[in-house]
């Protein structure tokens, strides 16, 4: 709170970029964790909450006739344009937000003060929800070829890997340690995913320290052990995800890529995904396009093309597809690296796993995938997401690109994911929010030093509590689809309005088909409960059968306050008047009520029947994991 000099500013305007409505007028509050804007001009109380950690930039714009503008860009692509009446207030809010959005020490992050009033036991259970050993066991590891080893328990082999890693059983400690000395930052080849169908493996590492001619016997033995762990294939792929020019430039610095002459039976391939700096600039250009006030179609499409963003998304997707095909169709193991093996490598390995294994398309499986390929294997979330005040050149949307690739797959295969778009957006938001401990730091060792599990909460139980609203209503189940084979031709990629223009009211339709389906499914559950309740009351409406008269009269007396009874002795006080046809007036309303509910139920069930038909059509279009283009 020491950074907040002005906790409350009144008569602040909030501008809307896309609608010509009058600017909102309200009060701006600064708290220890959020900027809160309360719109006083709205008929119903309307609040806008912006987490300090979500703020990417704060900018003071030139004075206008309305006052002093303050423009806030957020990491989740929210843009807030405030106009403050007094220059002093504007400057104090500006300086406060600069400090609050860029903490210096990890202990200042939101996760260390966030307290959802959960017991210590429940917090510990939350952290144990994802167990990577269970996922390796699901793949059939340990087995004759692969083992889980604690060779890195003291971080002696690699300080950015977890204590336990999966390596070929044939690779002894000398081979592991020797290989680590020949790999950038000691990031040796380790198993990422084993395809049980044919023993082909996806492994990951960093670039070799080969320079122009250096070689390492232990590293060559490590690759041989990986290849021999898949007896069904005479060769393995080594995939460098960088453009060839970049990899060649690294040779001059004593790094580089594998020489095929030094490794037995490998096939080397460059993929060509650009580095973190190119991606950062590309996203910036994309956001400039998204923020154009009134773009023409030509301006928007030209800007989108010039940003190169979808071209980069396609490059990542192509790499994932290549890995999946190599493993499934060619039955070959693949070793993947980029420079240090924690950016492009994480994108490609996790995407390939998602294409090959339907488990990773479930709620729990997707959480496991992120824990395994991103968190445990040392993606530098703290640097790439700018959690702390540091080098801005280290910030890059690497994880954002992965999330978008998953969304692009969901557009082609709408029935194959258990979760919906909102689930992806929730995860993306919390990668930047620092509200939970999962994404803090840069590696396992750093999180251990920060005592993340003892001092913060895990995101995953929080998301599972919201499972109902994050569910995909079109999901056809775990066994409906196995491998996915997406189309990666340019026309298959879409601009993700729901991510980059999510907060702009005038930019996308107010209604979402999947939201409507979720609502219908929720309504269906309520109707089924209502129908069940009505069925239980039917005996009272229709009157007892001869053999049931005695028992039902007892039930009637026990429930005499229920308005659904229709025998005189079951009413307290005066019985309802009897009409000329022998029916009591009380029954008229009851029967009408039930009849009306029955008609409503019937109508809704017809709607749901039509919905199910629509789902079946969508399902048939995605049959065999291949999109049908009409």
């Amino acid at each position: 709170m020491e950074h907040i000099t002005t906790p409350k500013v009144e008569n602040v305007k909030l501008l809307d970029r896309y609608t010509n409505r009058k600017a909102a007028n309200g009060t701006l509050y600064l708290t220890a964790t959020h900027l809160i804007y309360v719109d006083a001009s709205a008929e119903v109380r309307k609040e806008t909450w912006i987490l300090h950690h979500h703020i990417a930039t704060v900018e003071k714009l030139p004075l206008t006739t309305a006052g002093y503008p303050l423009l806030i860009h957020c990491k989740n692509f929210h843009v807030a344009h405030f106009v403050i009446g007094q220059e002093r207030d504007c400057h104090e809010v500006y300086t406060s937000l600069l400090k609050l959005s860029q903490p210096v020490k990890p202990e200042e992050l939101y996760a260390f003060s966030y307290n959802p009033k959960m017991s210590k036991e429940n917090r510990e259970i939350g952290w144990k929800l994802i167990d990577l050993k269970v996922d390796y066991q699901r793949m059939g590891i340990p087995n004759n070829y692969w083992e889980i080893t604690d060779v890195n328990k003291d971080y002696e082999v690699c300080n950015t890997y977890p204590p336990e890693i999966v390596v070929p059983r044939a690779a002894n400690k000398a081979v592991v340690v020797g290989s680590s000395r020949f790999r950038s930052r000691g990031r040796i080849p380790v198993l990422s995913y084993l395809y049980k169908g044919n023993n082909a493996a996806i492994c990951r590492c960093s670039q070799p320290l080969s320079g122009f001619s250096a070689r390492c016997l232990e590293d060559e033995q490590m690759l041989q052990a990986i290849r021999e762990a898949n007896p069904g294939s005479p060769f393995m792929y080594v995939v460098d995800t960088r453009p060839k020019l970049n990899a060649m430039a690294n040779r001059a610095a004593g790094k580089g890529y594998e020489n095929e002459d030094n490794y037995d039976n490998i096939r080397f391939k460059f993929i060509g995904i650009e580095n973190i700096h190119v991606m950062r600039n590309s996203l910036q250009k994309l956001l400039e396009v998204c923020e154009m006030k009134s773009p023409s179609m030509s301006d928007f499409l030209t800007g989108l093309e010039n940003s190169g963003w979808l071209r980069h998304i396609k490059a990542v997707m192509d790499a994932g597809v290549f890995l999946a095909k190599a493993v499934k169709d060619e039955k070959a193991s693949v070793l993947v690296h980029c420079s240090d093996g924690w950016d492009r490598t994480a994108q490609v390995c996790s995407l390939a796993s998602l294409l090959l294994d339907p488990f990773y398309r479930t709620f729990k499986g997707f959480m496991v995938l992120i824990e395994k390929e991103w968190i445990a294997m040392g993606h530098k979330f703290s640097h790439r997401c700018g959690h702390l005040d540091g080098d801005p050149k280290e910030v890059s949307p690497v994880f954002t690109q992965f999330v978008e690739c998953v969304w692009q797959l969901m557009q082609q295969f709408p029935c194959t994911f258990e979760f919906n778009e909102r689930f992806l957006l929730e995860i993306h938001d919390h990668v930047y929010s620092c509200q939970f401990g999962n994404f803090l730091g840069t590696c396992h060792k750093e999180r251990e030093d920060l005592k993340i599990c003892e001092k913060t909460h895990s995101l995953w139980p929080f998301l599972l509590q919201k499972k109902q609203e994050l569910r995909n209503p079109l999901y056809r189940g775990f066994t409906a689809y196995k491998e996915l084979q997406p189309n990666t031709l340019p026309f298959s990629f879409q601009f993700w309005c729901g991510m980059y223009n999510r907060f702009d009211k005038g930019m996308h339709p107010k209604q979402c088909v999947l939201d409507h389906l979720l609502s219908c499914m929720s309504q269906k559950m309520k109707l089924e409960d209502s129908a069940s309740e009505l069925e239980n009351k039917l005996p009272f409406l229709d009157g007892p059968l001869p053999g049931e008269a005695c028992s039902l009269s007892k039930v009637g007396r026990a429930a005499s306050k229920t308005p659904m009874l229709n025998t005189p002795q079951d009413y307290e006080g005066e019985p309802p008047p009897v009409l000329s046809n022998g029916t009591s007036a009380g029954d008229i309303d009851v029967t009408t009520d039930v009849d009306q509910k029955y008609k409503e139920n019937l109508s809704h069930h017809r709607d749901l029947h039509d919905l199910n038909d629509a789902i079946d059509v969508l399902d048939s279009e995605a049959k065999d994991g291949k999109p049908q283009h009409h």
Side-chain angles (χ1 to χ4, degrees), residues 472-493:
N472 172 17
L474 299 180
Y475 183 55
R476 303 301 286 178
F478 183 86
T479 55
Y481 304 89
K482 293 181 181 176
E483 300 82 10
L484 300 183
Q485 299 172 40
N487 191 322
T488 60
L489 290 170
F491 61 74
S492 301
F493 295 89

Side-chain angles (χ1 to χ4, degrees), residues 493-508:
F493 295 89
Q494 302 176 33
F495 170 70
W496 190 4
C497 190
M499 170 75 95
Y500 306 109
N501 286 106
R502 176 165 43 134
F503 298 95
D504 299 317
K505 299 186 188 79
M507 278 294 286
H508 48 84

Side-chain angles (χ1 to χ4, degrees), residues 40-93:
S41 57
E43 292 177 11
V44 181
R45 182 182 174 91
K46 186 181 174 189
E47 298 179 355
T48 301
W49 289 56
I50 298 175
L51 192 63
H52 297 324
H53 292 317
H54 270 159
I55 295 174
T57 62
V58 188
E59 191 181 351
K60 282 199 295 183
L61 301 179
L63 175 66
T64 67
T65 52
Y68 296 85
L70 196 65
L71 187 62
I72 298 173
H73 283 90
C74 297
K75 296 168 184 175
N76 61 349
F77 312 116
H78 187 182
V79 179
H81 193 163
F82 296 106
V83 179
I84 300 173
Q86 300 296 318
E87 183 182 14
R88 180 174 170 273
D89 289 338
C90 182
H91 182 71
E92 288 190 352
V93 170

